[in-house]
Amino acid sequence: MRPTEPLPLHHSWPLYALREHLAPVMLDDRLARDDEALAERGLGLWHCDLTDDSLNWTDGVYDIFGLERDSIVPRPLAIALYSPDSRTAMEQLRAYAIRHRRGFTLDVDIRPADGGECAMRLIAAPIVQKNQVVALHGVKQFLPRGAGPSRGLDPTLFVLS
């Protein structure tokens, strides 16, 4: 995909569909509140405050990106770990999500800081306060090689270590 081409809108979804896109995590209440259980399944929760682009990650996201848990990760470092095509697609969908108050799901290729390459499913949704998007949040899921594209979390892909 060339960077100037618009992304297909099937990656984007309305906010009322958020529960549907996060269902595999939300079905198990214990899982949704347990950092280690999420990380064991190749999942992590994330939050980005749009006032300063600060990131807040659970352990699973640090693991996917190959970064030390609980370290402060500036957004420019995180996006530098995306492959160029994936970074372009993610940034386009991120801007669209903020502008139109929509969520999105995208499978991306990343180059973790600790080496190698992997794929990750990114699910993002805006947080709206007083009719203004103030943050984005969602789930990142490690994808094993050969996993097919999807519009949501795939519980059959959970990595159990």
Side-chain angles (χ1 to χ4, degrees):
M1 178 180 302
R2 292 190 324 246
T4 56
E5 290 180 15
L7 288 169
L9 285 180
H10 70 266
H11 291 290
S12 176
W13 37 266
L15 283 183
Y16 66 77
L18 178 62
R19 292 182 81 69
E20 172 187 329
H21 288 272
L22 299 179
V25 174
M26 295 173 65
L27 289 176
D28 183 342
D29 198 37
R30 180 195 66 84
L31 176 63
R33 286 186 285 222
D34 185 337
D35 247 16
E36 199 55 42
L38 286 168
E40 287 173 1
R41 289 163 176 79
L43 293 168
L45 305 179
W46 63 274
H47 180 273
C48 179
D49 184 330
L50 295 179
T51 60
D52 61 4
D53 271 343
S54 60
L55 300 173
N56 185 357
W57 292 350
T58 63
D59 291 347
V61 178
Y62 286 102
D63 295 350
I64 293 168
F65 280 87
L67 295 166
E68 186 176 327
R69 289 181 177 184
D70 296 320
S71 61
I72 295 173
V73 179
R75 186 168 183 274
L77 170 60
I79 62 175
L81 297 174
Y82 284 71
S83 71
D85 288 345
S86 291
R87 182 180 319 117
T88 299
M90 181 273 298
E91 292 286 31
Q92 287 176 347
L93 279 167
R94 180 181 192 268
Y96 189 88
I98 294 167
R99 188 171 45 256
H100 298 285
R101 296 186 196 116
R102 291 181 61 91
F104 67 90
T105 303
L106 181 67
D107 290 351
V108 297
D109 294 317
I110 62 170
R111 296 182 181 120
D114 59 1
E117 294 180 354
C118 72
M120 173 184 77
R121 182 156 298 140
L122 168 61
I123 297 178
I127 296 174
V128 180
Q129 293 177 353
K130 296 182 182 178
N131 211 23
Q132 193 78 344
V133 177
V134 297
L136 293 171
H137 69 142
V139 177
K140 295 178 191 256
Q141 179 182 24
F142 172 81
L143 295 177
R145 287 278 172 225
S150 174
R151 295 184 188 176
L153 289 173
D154 186 342
T156 66
L157 296 178
F158 287 163
V159 176
L160 296 172
S161 51

